[in-house]
């Protein structure tokens, strides 16, 4: 199957999953805790996950799925598609969803041997679907329109709008991004914390943000977004400046490319300590 067909299936799947989430926004939710008291799960994370994994496995029976809420082995073992893995975050931005704060997304990405092929981030509240195909570019679909997207041209921190996020263990762990955030705040035009890493990366790709960094994310948070940024002309590295590799835990810096080194320099300065 060609990548364009796969992208179309991923876009349709994300849009339908988004409709489930949209319907749940104003409903009473049952909450359970995950890694800590502030890391929550709702029945909608589960329902969306079941929908997405079912849909992807029926379209691609030989692929595997690594979802935040479940891990599904491929249905037909021993096949030549062994290395194709979907990284799925059914609701990225669950805390926002729980509070009725309308910023969250469905994030889906297909990788082969750790290389991204297709990525989709869908924001159901704005009906904005960001997608990318390796080597072919990145797009934003909204309603019936589809346009290609590109990173911004800002080349100084003082003219940049950045975003970041904070890990769920931040109450206990002193390595919680607070000193890095304080350092950036003194240098940039603006700083946002959307609460959805997939949206942050999609916005860097679309030129709405100039850069984004976050520590200790999981593969499903960023798998689609890093492809979007790369295909929109931006840069993604680890926060220490090393080449980016999708691993189960990742600390990453994504930017329009022009402010990448100045952003890395801020992190390096903070690491040196007072
Ligand atoms: C979280 C969001 C948040 C980021 C956290 C992620 P979740 O994902 O992307 O913006 O700061 O690190 O875990 O739990 O809502 O899927
Ligand atoms: Ca997430
Ligand atoms: Ca999630």
């Amino acid at each position: 199957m060609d990548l364009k067909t796969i992208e179309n299936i991923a876009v349709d799947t994300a849009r339908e999953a988004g409709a489930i989430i949209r319907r749940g926004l104003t409903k009473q939710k049952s909450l359970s805790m995950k890694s800590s008291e502030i890391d929550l799960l709702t029945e909608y994370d589960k329902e969306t996950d079941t929908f997405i994994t079912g849909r992807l496995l029926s379209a691609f029976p030989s692929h595997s799925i690594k979802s935040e809420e479940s891990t599904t082995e491929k249905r037909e073992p021993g096949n030549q598609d062994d290395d194709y893995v979907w990284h799925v975050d059914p609701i990225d931005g669950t805390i926002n969803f729980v509070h009725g704060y309308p910023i969250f997304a469905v994030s889906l990405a297909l990788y082969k041997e750790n290389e991204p092929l297709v990525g989709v981030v869908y924001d159901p509240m704005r009906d904005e679907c960001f997608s990318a195909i390796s080597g072919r570019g990145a797009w934003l679909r909204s309603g019936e329109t589809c346009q290609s997207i590109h990173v911004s041209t800002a080349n100084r921190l003082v003219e940049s709008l950045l975003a970041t996020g904070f890990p769920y263990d931040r109450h206990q762990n002193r390595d919680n991004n607070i000193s890095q955030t304080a350092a950036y705040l003194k240098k940039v035009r603006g700083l946002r914390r959307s609460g959805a890493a997939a949206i942050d990366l999609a916005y860097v790709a679309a030129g709405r943000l100039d850069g984004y960094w976050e520590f200790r994310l999981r593969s499903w948070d960023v798998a689609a977004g890093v492809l979007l940024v790369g295909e929109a002309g931006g840069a993604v590295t680890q926060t220490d400046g090393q080449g980016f590799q999708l691993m189960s835990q990742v600390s990453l810096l994504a930017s329009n490319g022009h402010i990448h080194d100045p952003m890395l320099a801020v992190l390096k300065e903070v690491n040196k300590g007072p």
Side-chain angles (χ1 to χ4, degrees):
M1 202 181 282
D2 68 283
L3 292 182
K4 188 69 200 158
T5 309
I6 294 176
E7 185 228 21
N8 278 327
I9 293 170
V11 165
D12 289 348
T13 304
R15 279 180 150 162
E16 286 186 52
I20 299 173
I21 303 168
R22 209 166 34 229
R23 282 197 294 277
L25 185 63
T26 52
K27 302 260 167 61
Q28 181 80 25
K29 296 162 196 69
S30 80
L31 305 182
S32 46
M33 277 183 245
K34 289 168 65 172
S35 63
S36 74
E37 212 180 334
I38 58 168
D39 183 3
L40 303 177
L41 179 74
T42 72
E43 65 271 49
Y44 292 96
D45 296 79
K46 282 279 183 203
E47 186 182 339
T48 313
D49 178 56
T50 304
F51 170 79
I52 294 169
T53 52
R55 185 57 73 85
L56 291 178
L57 284 175
S58 74
F60 312 106
S62 57
H63 294 184
S64 309
I65 296 183
K66 221 177 246 178
S67 165
E68 180 171 13
E69 312 308 346
S70 63
T71 298
T72 314
E73 289 309 318
K74 56 197 173 296
R75 281 186 183 158
E76 292 170 2
N79 167 308
Q80 61 186 14
D81 288 348
D82 272 4
D83 302 319
Y84 289 88
V85 180
W86 287 90
H87 296 268
V88 176
D89 194 342
I91 305 181
D92 183 52
T94 294
I95 300 295
N96 288 345
F97 176 67
V98 165
H99 286 261
Y101 186 86
I103 299 181
F104 34 79
V106 178
S107 180
L108 310 177
L110 177 63
Y111 278 59
K112 182 175 196 273
E113 290 158 4
N114 250 10
E115 289 303 317
L117 299 177
V118 168
V120 173
V121 172
Y122 180 57
D123 169 351
M125 301 314 293
R126 284 158 204 77
D127 183 28
E128 288 190 327
C129 192
F130 303 87
S131 67
I133 300 178
S134 175
R136 295 199 214 163
W139 304 273
L140 168 56
R141 290 177 177 80
S142 191
E144 296 305 306
T145 68
C146 179
Q147 64 196 77
S148 66
I149 52 173
H150 305 279
V151 294
S152 67
T153 55
N155 57 21
R156 295 185 310 146
L157 289 180
V158 74
E159 62 190 60
S160 295
L161 183 62
L162 303 188
T164 191
F166 301 91
Y168 282 122
D169 64 358
R170 64 186 178 271
H171 294 188
Q172 301 82 31
N173 190 341
R174 292 176 63 150
D175 182 12
N176 55 14
N177 196 22
I178 289 176
S179 44
Q180 290 85 350
T181 300
Y184 277 118
L185 258 180
K186 292 183 187 161
K187 294 182 186 297
V188 299
R189 183 181 283 165
L191 183 54
R192 304 288 179 259
R193 195 293 199 236
S194 79
I199 295 271
D200 293 330
L201 286 163
Y203 280 16
V204 172
R208 295 173 181 178
L209 288 169
D210 306 295
Y212 161 74
W213 84 97
E214 188 163 343
F215 301 99
R216 301 198 298 284
L217 288 155
R218 304 304 305 274
S219 53
W220 45 75
D221 298 316
V222 302
V226 296
L227 181 63
L228 289 171
V229 173
E231 290 299 322
V236 181
T237 62
Q238 296 181 175
T239 45
D240 61 5
Q242 306 246 17
F244 178 82
Q245 276 278 340
L246 191 72
M247 289 177 291
S248 58
Q249 183 170 286
V250 289
S251 294
L252 69 79
L253 195 158
S255 78
N256 64 6
H258 311 295
I259 60 161
H260 210 84
D261 287 343
M263 280 190 73
L264 283 171
V266 172
L267 293 181
K268 205 166 166 193
E269 197 57 38
V270 173
N271 262 352
K272 272 202 252 156

